[in-house]
Amino acid sequence: MDIKSNLAEVENKIVNACKKAGRDRSEVRLIAVSKTKPVEVLQEVYDENIRYFGENKVQELSDKIPKLPSDIKWHFIGHLQRNKVKYIIGKVDLIHSVDSLRLAKQIDDDSKKNNLISNILIQVNVSNESTKFGTSNEEVFDLIKAVSELENIRVKGLMTIAPATNNPEECRVYFKKIKELSTEIEKLNLKNVEMKELSMGMTGDYEIAIEEGATLVRVGTGIFGERVYS
Ligand SMILES: *Cc1c(COP(=O)(O)O)cnc(C)c1O
């Protein structure tokens, strides 16, 4: 399959999942997860009118940005080290993967230095797997309260990665849980905090994520095909 038909299939599945859930298609944004893929292939996807791209490595992202059109909205979706924050501040539309106050403070500091505001999501390890980054379902409240005090950060919602499984139905319970957390956090009415985005769902489970309220789905393999790591 080529990129064009892959994209058509993903779009079709998004539309159907929205219908099934009684949601409007405009409530869900597709993030094309382009990690490991060469810029020529990203350009092909861009030419099909995709404007949101997700990358998980600072170096790779920095290499790609100047080689592609400037109206791309880059989303950083990987684990972010504090010493690398300075390389992506002002260059990304949204950082999905903030899971500690230390990291949030670094983003705040670097944003201040650049005289700008950074939009972030808080990553929650909703399935509590030891191999995954993210704050816990319990700690997320204190973390967001502390982050809300930082002046140059806006929290736009939550992000999670569901467990890898052959049966995506098993992810539904985690998607429901994070939606529930987001509703509870919204009720706290914290300054600089909105719970309008839920980043959840990857190639294997994005339809279920949409049924459970995802606003950002991160699809890599479903668009670009399998990744080859050298
Ligand atoms: C790689 C990656 C994805 C995309 O995964 P696919 O299964 O290829 O769709 C989504 N989210 C994160 C955080 C990733 O690292």
Side-chain angles (χ1 to χ4, degrees):
M1 286 240 283
D2 64 341
I3 296 274
K4 203 172 169 150
S5 47
N6 286 351
L7 271 170
E9 188 182 327
V10 170
E11 178 57 30
N12 196 33
K13 285 181 174 170
I14 292 175
V15 167
N16 286 335
C18 285
K19 270 200 196 118
K20 193 170 166 190
R23 302 180 63 197
D24 197 274
R25 169 66 185 89
S26 65
E27 293 172 34
V28 180
R29 282 187 288 166
L30 172 63
I31 314 294
V33 176
S34 47
K35 62 196 191 196
T36 77
K37 300 296 173 181
V39 288
E40 295 73 30
V41 182
L42 276 71
Q43 182 68 51
E44 260 186 77
V45 171
Y46 176 92
D47 292 339
E48 296 297 323
N49 279 319
I50 300 296
R51 292 295 177 270
Y52 298 95
F53 286 81
E55 289 282 340
N56 70 340
K57 296 254 168 19
V58 169
Q59 184 64 55
E60 187 178 346
L61 175 63
S62 306
D63 289 345
K64 282 174 173 172
I65 288 176
K67 295 181 182 145
L68 285 155
S70 58
D71 63 339
I72 287 181
K73 307 274 191 207
W74 295 97
H75 284 215
F76 193 80
I77 62 171
H79 181 62
L80 182 56
Q81 287 168 302
R82 282 181 301 144
N83 61 347
K84 295 195 174 158
V85 169
K86 57 179 176 285
Y87 301 115
I88 66 166
I89 284 300
K91 297 189 172 160
V92 294
D93 187 45
L94 185 64
I95 302 172
H96 287 227
S97 42
V98 178
D99 62 357
S100 73
L101 186 57
R102 272 159 44 110
L103 175 58
K105 278 184 170 156
Q106 186 72 56
I107 295 170
D108 186 54
D109 280 350
D110 288 342
S111 300
K112 277 199 187 89
K113 274 182 205 147
N114 288 279
N115 202 17
L116 50 81
I117 304 279
S118 290
N119 294 327
I120 68 163
L121 304 178
I122 300 293
Q123 182 173 354
V124 184
N125 182 1
V126 74
S127 54
N128 203 19
E129 290 169 281
S130 60
T131 53
K132 287 210 162 81
F133 292 107
T135 184
S136 71
N137 299 353
E138 295 75 34
E139 285 162 352
V140 65
F141 294 94
D142 284 342
L143 175 57
I144 289 198
K145 281 177 199 162
V147 172
S148 84
E149 300 296 331
L150 304 174
E151 291 172 347
N152 288 53
I153 285 190
R154 298 290 177 273
V155 179
K156 296 291 174 187
L158 304 178
M159 177 271 216
T160 199
I161 304 173
T165 166
N166 291 324
N167 177 11
E169 267 303 325
E170 288 170 9
C171 301
R172 193 183 292 277
V173 54
Y174 300 112
F175 296 146
K176 276 189 198 297
K177 179 67 194 173
I178 195 164
K179 173 78 193 180
E180 211 177 281
L181 289 172
S182 125
T183 307
E184 283 177 51
I185 292 165
E186 196 157 38
K187 285 186 195 144
L188 301 177
N189 258 319
L190 299 167
K191 66 177 174 202
N192 303 329
V193 175
E194 282 180 290
M195 284 290 121
K196 66 173 199 161
E197 304 290 358
L198 266 184
S199 168
M200 58 188 194
M202 309 179 15
T203 296
D205 55 24
Y206 65 92
E207 293 157 274
I208 291 176
I210 290 169
E211 287 173 37
E212 299 303 332
T215 65
L216 298 165
V217 290
R218 310 178 308 263
V219 180
T221 313
I223 296 172
F224 294 94
E226 294 291 333
R227 283 178 293 275
V228 182
Y229 291 95
S230 50

